[in-house]
Tab-separated table of all heavy atoms in Angstrom:
chain	number	residue	atom	x	y	z
A	400	GLY	N	125.577	101.112	151.776
A	400	GLY	CA	124.902	100.829	153.038
A	400	GLY	C	123.407	100.668	152.854
A	400	GLY	O	122.868	100.904	151.771
A	401	THR	N	122.763	100.257	153.912
A	401	THR	CA	121.306	100.157	153.930
A	401	THR	C	120.827	100.780	155.233
A	401	THR	O	121.626	101.222	156.051
A	401	THR	CB	120.837	98.694	153.856
A	401	THR	OG1	121.377	97.981	154.972
A	401	THR	CG2	121.262	98.031	152.569
A	402	CYS	N	119.550	100.802	155.425
A	402	CYS	CA	118.997	101.366	156.649
A	402	CYS	C	118.896	100.241	157.682
A	402	CYS	O	117.813	99.712	157.940
A	402	CYS	CB	117.636	101.993	156.361
A	402	CYS	SG	117.055	103.048	157.691
A	403	ASP	N	120.039	99.871	158.261
A	403	ASP	CA	120.072	98.791	159.238
A	403	ASP	C	121.102	99.090	160.321
A	403	ASP	O	121.800	100.101	160.283
A	403	ASP	CB	120.365	97.452	158.562
A	403	ASP	CG	121.723	97.417	157.879
A	403	ASP	OD1	122.405	98.459	157.835
A	403	ASP	OD2	122.098	96.343	157.378
A	404	VAL	N	121.196	98.195	161.298
A	404	VAL	CA	122.081	98.386	162.443
A	404	VAL	C	123.550	98.367	162.017
A	404	VAL	O	124.369	99.111	162.558
A	404	VAL	CB	121.792	97.324	163.532
A	404	VAL	CG1	122.770	97.450	164.684
A	404	VAL	CG2	120.369	97.447	164.026
A	405	LYS	N	123.880	97.569	161.049
A	405	LYS	CA	125.269	97.492	160.586
A	405	LYS	C	125.728	98.851	160.056
A	405	LYS	O	126.809	99.335	160.402
A	405	LYS	CB	125.382	96.421	159.496
A	405	LYS	CG	126.773	96.240	158.955
A	405	LYS	CD	126.789	95.131	157.910
A	405	LYS	CE	128.165	94.953	157.318
A	405	LYS	NZ	128.174	93.908	156.291
A	406	THR	N	124.908	99.467	159.235
A	406	THR	CA	125.253	100.782	158.699
A	406	THR	C	125.225	101.832	159.807
A	406	THR	O	126.059	102.740	159.821
A	406	THR	CB	124.284	101.167	157.564
A	406	THR	OG1	124.291	100.125	156.582
A	406	THR	CG2	124.671	102.469	156.907
A	407	LEU	N	124.280	101.704	160.726
A	407	LEU	CA	124.223	102.624	161.859
A	407	LEU	C	125.525	102.579	162.656
A	407	LEU	O	126.087	103.618	163.007
A	407	LEU	CB	123.035	102.279	162.762
A	407	LEU	CG	122.875	103.102	164.042
A	407	LEU	CD1	122.609	104.561	163.708
A	407	LEU	CD2	121.751	102.529	164.893
A	408	ALA	N	126.025	101.379	162.925
A	408	ALA	CA	127.276	101.231	163.666
A	408	ALA	C	128.442	101.824	162.882
A	408	ALA	O	129.287	102.533	163.445
A	408	ALA	CB	127.523	99.759	163.967
A	409	ARG	N	128.477	101.563	161.592
A	409	ARG	CA	129.574	102.078	160.767
A	409	ARG	C	129.535	103.604	160.694
A	409	ARG	O	130.566	104.260	160.803
A	409	ARG	CB	129.496	101.472	159.368
A	409	ARG	CG	130.723	101.775	158.534
A	409	ARG	CD	130.727	101.078	157.199
A	409	ARG	NE	129.618	101.553	156.376
A	409	ARG	CZ	128.801	100.755	155.688
A	409	ARG	NH1	128.955	99.452	155.726
A	409	ARG	NH2	127.831	101.254	154.971
A	410	GLU	N	128.340	104.177	160.530
A	410	GLU	CA	128.208	105.628	160.420
A	410	GLU	C	128.512	106.340	161.733
A	410	GLU	O	128.962	107.483	161.726
A	410	GLU	CB	126.793	106.000	159.948
A	410	GLU	CG	126.547	105.714	158.501
A	410	GLU	CD	127.404	106.575	157.595
A	410	GLU	OE1	127.306	107.812	157.652
A	410	GLU	OE2	128.198	105.995	156.827
A	411	SER	N	128.257	105.696	162.851
A	411	SER	CA	128.511	106.333	164.146
A	411	SER	C	129.879	105.961	164.709
A	411	SER	O	130.227	106.401	165.808
A	411	SER	CB	127.416	105.959	165.135
A	411	SER	OG	127.354	104.559	165.298
A	412	ALA	N	130.635	105.150	163.978
A	412	ALA	CA	131.986	104.729	164.387
A	412	ALA	C	131.972	104.023	165.728
A	412	ALA	O	132.812	104.266	166.593
A	412	ALA	CB	132.937	105.920	164.385
A	413	VAL	N	130.996	103.142	165.911
A	413	VAL	CA	130.872	102.344	167.131
A	413	VAL	C	130.851	100.880	166.717
A	413	VAL	O	130.264	100.527	165.685
A	413	VAL	CB	129.574	102.708	167.899
A	413	VAL	CG1	129.362	101.792	169.081
A	413	VAL	CG2	129.616	104.157	168.344
A	414	ASP	N	131.464	100.035	167.514
A	414	ASP	CA	131.482	98.605	167.225
A	414	ASP	C	130.048	98.070	167.208
A	414	ASP	O	129.252	98.357	168.101
A	414	ASP	CB	132.317	97.875	168.287
A	414	ASP	CG	132.465	96.406	167.969
A	414	ASP	OD1	132.530	96.063	166.768
A	414	ASP	OD2	132.517	95.608	168.915
A	415	ARG	N	129.743	97.288	166.184
A	415	ARG	CA	128.382	96.779	166.016
A	415	ARG	C	127.952	95.886	167.175
A	415	ARG	O	126.774	95.844	167.529
A	415	ARG	CB	128.282	96.017	164.697
A	415	ARG	CG	126.878	95.566	164.380
A	415	ARG	CD	126.774	94.983	163.022
A	415	ARG	NE	127.735	93.914	162.820
A	415	ARG	CZ	127.668	93.037	161.834
A	415	ARG	NH1	126.703	93.120	160.964
A	415	ARG	NH2	128.577	92.097	161.711
A	416	THR	N	128.855	95.173	167.783
A	416	THR	CA	128.476	94.275	168.880
A	416	THR	C	127.964	95.040	170.089
A	416	THR	O	127.273	94.475	170.933
A	416	THR	CB	129.670	93.400	169.299
A	416	THR	OG1	130.742	94.244	169.710
A	416	THR	CG2	130.101	92.497	168.156
A	417	ALA	N	128.263	96.342	170.175
A	417	ALA	CA	127.793	97.155	171.292
A	417	ALA	C	126.283	97.390	171.235
A	417	ALA	O	125.694	97.889	172.183
A	417	ALA	CB	128.528	98.489	171.319
A	418	PHE	N	125.646	97.003	170.132
A	418	PHE	CA	124.209	97.212	169.963
A	418	PHE	C	123.382	95.986	170.362
A	418	PHE	O	122.162	96.031	170.302
A	418	PHE	CB	123.887	97.563	168.503
A	418	PHE	CG	124.331	98.943	168.110
A	418	PHE	CD1	125.523	99.147	167.440
A	418	PHE	CD2	123.556	100.046	168.405
A	418	PHE	CE1	125.929	100.405	167.070
A	418	PHE	CE2	123.950	101.307	168.042
A	418	PHE	CZ	125.147	101.501	167.373
A	419	TYR	N	124.004	94.902	170.741
A	419	TYR	CA	123.274	93.654	170.984
A	419	TYR	C	123.422	93.178	172.425
A	419	TYR	O	124.396	93.497	173.100
A	419	TYR	CB	123.758	92.568	170.022
A	419	TYR	CG	123.431	92.905	168.574
A	419	TYR	CD1	124.383	93.465	167.741
A	419	TYR	CD2	122.153	92.690	168.087
A	419	TYR	CE1	124.081	93.786	166.439
A	419	TYR	CE2	121.841	93.014	166.784
A	419	TYR	CZ	122.801	93.559	165.964
A	419	TYR	OH	122.496	93.896	164.677
A	420	GLY	N	122.453	92.381	172.838
A	420	GLY	CA	122.492	91.766	174.163
A	420	GLY	C	122.404	92.797	175.267
A	420	GLY	O	121.552	93.680	175.262
A	421	THR	N	123.292	92.680	176.235
A	421	THR	CA	123.295	93.605	177.379
A	421	THR	C	124.358	94.673	177.203
A	421	THR	O	124.774	95.304	178.178
A	421	THR	CB	123.564	92.814	178.674
A	421	THR	OG1	124.825	92.150	178.543
A	421	THR	CG2	122.462	91.811	178.943
A	422	ARG	N	124.796	94.878	176.014
A	422	ARG	CA	125.837	95.863	175.722
A	422	ARG	C	125.291	97.276	175.922
A	422	ARG	O	124.073	97.485	175.984
A	422	ARG	CB	126.368	95.680	174.294
A	422	ARG	CG	126.939	94.315	174.010
A	422	ARG	CD	128.237	94.129	174.805
A	422	ARG	NE	128.736	92.785	174.709
A	422	ARG	CZ	129.774	92.441	173.980
A	422	ARG	NH1	130.429	93.321	173.290
A	422	ARG	NH2	130.163	91.190	173.965
A	423	PRO	N	126.177	98.280	175.962
A	423	PRO	CA	125.756	99.622	176.361
A	423	PRO	C	124.772	100.322	175.419
A	423	PRO	O	124.012	101.180	175.857
A	423	PRO	CB	127.067	100.406	176.439
A	423	PRO	CG	128.078	99.601	175.726
A	423	PRO	CD	127.606	98.187	175.763
A	424	TYR	N	124.748	99.959	174.111
A	424	TYR	CA	123.892	100.694	173.185
A	424	TYR	C	122.739	99.844	172.642
A	424	TYR	O	122.128	100.190	171.632
A	424	TYR	CB	124.727	101.244	172.027
A	424	TYR	CG	125.917	102.047	172.503
A	424	TYR	CD1	127.203	101.664	172.198
A	424	TYR	CD2	125.732	103.178	173.288
A	424	TYR	CE1	128.296	102.386	172.649
A	424	TYR	CE2	126.817	103.908	173.755
A	424	TYR	CZ	128.090	103.505	173.440
A	424	TYR	OH	129.160	104.219	173.896
A	425	ALA	N	122.400	98.782	173.333
A	425	ALA	CA	121.293	97.920	172.903
A	425	ALA	C	119.977	98.697	172.884
A	425	ALA	O	119.136	98.494	172.004
A	425	ALA	CB	121.180	96.698	173.800
A	426	HIS	N	119.799	99.600	173.842
A	426	HIS	CA	118.561	100.387	173.878
A	426	HIS	C	118.452	101.302	172.654
A	426	HIS	O	117.360	101.564	172.156
A	426	HIS	CB	118.459	101.190	175.182
A	426	HIS	CG	119.468	102.293	175.305
A	426	HIS	ND1	120.799	102.075	175.591
A	426	HIS	CD2	119.327	103.640	175.153
A	426	HIS	CE1	121.442	103.230	175.626
A	426	HIS	NE2	120.569	104.207	175.370
A	427	LEU	N	119.582	101.769	172.130
A	427	LEU	CA	119.548	102.601	170.923
A	427	LEU	C	119.208	101.765	169.687
A	427	LEU	O	118.523	102.249	168.786
A	427	LEU	CB	120.888	103.320	170.747
A	427	LEU	CG	121.187	104.395	171.798
A	427	LEU	CD1	122.583	104.947	171.603
A	427	LEU	CD2	120.153	105.494	171.751
A	428	ARG	N	119.685	100.529	169.636
A	428	ARG	CA	119.309	99.634	168.532
A	428	ARG	C	117.808	99.398	168.558
A	428	ARG	O	117.135	99.475	167.528
A	428	ARG	CB	120.041	98.297	168.631
A	428	ARG	CG	119.601	97.291	167.546
A	428	ARG	CD	120.179	95.906	167.748
A	428	ARG	NE	119.961	95.368	169.062
A	428	ARG	CZ	118.863	94.697	169.452
A	428	ARG	NH1	117.888	94.498	168.602
A	428	ARG	NH2	118.749	94.230	170.670
A	429	GLU	N	117.253	99.133	169.750
A	429	GLU	CA	115.811	98.911	169.869
A	429	GLU	C	115.033	100.149	169.453
A	429	GLU	O	114.014	100.053	168.760
A	429	GLU	CB	115.467	98.512	171.306
A	429	GLU	CG	115.993	97.137	171.678
A	429	GLU	CD	115.853	96.849	173.174
A	429	GLU	OE1	115.336	97.713	173.916
A	429	GLU	OE2	116.273	95.758	173.582
A	430	GLU	N	115.520	101.322	169.847
A	430	GLU	CA	114.870	102.577	169.453
A	430	GLU	C	114.924	102.741	167.934
A	430	GLU	O	113.926	103.114	167.304
A	430	GLU	CB	115.563	103.759	170.130
A	430	GLU	CG	114.979	105.099	169.745
A	430	GLU	CD	115.756	106.262	170.332
A	430	GLU	OE1	116.472	106.080	171.331
A	430	GLU	OE2	115.639	107.369	169.764
A	431	PHE	N	116.084	102.462	167.345
A	431	PHE	CA	116.243	102.567	165.890
A	431	PHE	C	115.283	101.622	165.173
A	431	PHE	O	114.574	102.022	164.235
A	431	PHE	CB	117.699	102.254	165.511
A	431	PHE	CG	117.948	102.215	164.028
A	431	PHE	CD1	117.953	103.367	163.272
A	431	PHE	CD2	118.194	101.006	163.384
A	431	PHE	CE1	118.192	103.340	161.916
A	431	PHE	CE2	118.437	100.959	162.034
A	431	PHE	CZ	118.434	102.132	161.296
A	432	GLU	N	115.233	100.369	165.601
A	432	GLU	CA	114.356	99.390	164.959
A	432	GLU	C	112.893	99.756	165.140
A	432	GLU	O	112.080	99.577	164.224
A	432	GLU	CB	114.653	97.992	165.498
A	432	GLU	CG	116.005	97.462	165.037
A	432	GLU	CD	116.395	96.153	165.699
A	432	GLU	OE1	115.762	95.771	166.716
A	432	GLU	OE2	117.333	95.510	165.187
A	433	HIS	N	112.539	100.297	166.300
A	433	HIS	CA	111.153	100.718	166.540
A	433	HIS	C	110.780	101.870	165.603
A	433	HIS	O	109.704	101.856	164.987
A	433	HIS	CB	110.975	101.133	168.008
A	433	HIS	CG	109.622	101.721	168.295
A	433	HIS	ND1	108.485	100.950	168.326
A	433	HIS	CD2	109.233	103.000	168.532
A	433	HIS	CE1	107.443	101.726	168.577
A	433	HIS	NE2	107.873	102.976	168.706
A	434	ARG	N	111.659	102.864	165.501
A	434	ARG	CA	111.390	103.990	164.613
A	434	ARG	C	111.319	103.541	163.154
A	434	ARG	O	110.478	104.016	162.381
A	434	ARG	CB	112.462	105.064	164.785
A	434	ARG	CG	112.331	105.821	166.103
A	434	ARG	CD	113.448	106.799	166.342
A	434	ARG	NE	113.520	107.841	165.319
A	434	ARG	CZ	114.489	108.745	165.243
A	434	ARG	NH1	115.468	108.736	166.132
A	434	ARG	NH2	114.490	109.645	164.286
A	435	LEU	N	112.162	102.596	162.779
A	435	LEU	CA	112.146	102.072	161.409
A	435	LEU	C	110.845	101.331	161.127
A	435	LEU	O	110.224	101.504	160.071
A	435	LEU	CB	113.353	101.152	161.182
A	435	LEU	CG	113.572	100.638	159.767
A	435	LEU	CD1	113.775	101.786	158.796
A	435	LEU	CD2	114.767	99.700	159.734
A	436	ARG	N	110.391	100.498	162.083
A	436	ARG	CA	109.104	99.793	161.922
A	436	ARG	C	107.953	100.783	161.826
A	436	ARG	O	107.021	100.588	161.044
A	436	ARG	CB	108.875	98.835	163.092
A	436	ARG	CG	109.608	97.524	162.969
A	436	ARG	CD	109.100	96.499	163.986
A	436	ARG	NE	109.149	96.970	165.369
A	436	ARG	CZ	110.201	96.863	166.176
A	436	ARG	NH1	111.309	96.296	165.739
A	436	ARG	NH2	110.149	97.314	167.412
A	437	THR	N	108.003	101.852	162.620
A	437	THR	CA	106.958	102.873	162.579
A	437	THR	C	106.911	103.536	161.201
A	437	THR	O	105.824	103.737	160.644
A	437	THR	CB	107.210	103.939	163.674
A	437	THR	OG1	107.270	103.286	164.945
A	437	THR	CG2	106.109	104.970	163.697
A	438	LEU	N	108.074	103.861	160.659
A	438	LEU	CA	108.120	104.460	159.321
A	438	LEU	C	107.560	103.501	158.270
A	438	LEU	O	106.808	103.913	157.383
A	438	LEU	CB	109.548	104.865	158.959
A	438	LEU	CG	110.100	106.102	159.671
A	438	LEU	CD1	111.561	106.312	159.323
A	438	LEU	CD2	109.292	107.328	159.310
Side-chain angles (χ1 to χ4, degrees):
T401 59
C402 194
D403 62 355
V404 176
K405 181 178 178 181
T406 305
L407 177 64
R409 190 174 64 226
E410 286 294 300
S411 59
V413 174
D414 185 34
R415 185 173 54 164
T416 59
F418 288 98
Y419 295 98
T421 59
R422 302 291 173 105
Y424 307 119
H426 68 285
L427 292 175
R428 176 188 52 86
E429 291 170 1
E430 178 185 338
F431 175 72
E432 290 173 346
H433 174 72
R434 287 175 61 186
L435 186 60
R436 280 193 305 273
T437 303
L438 287 175

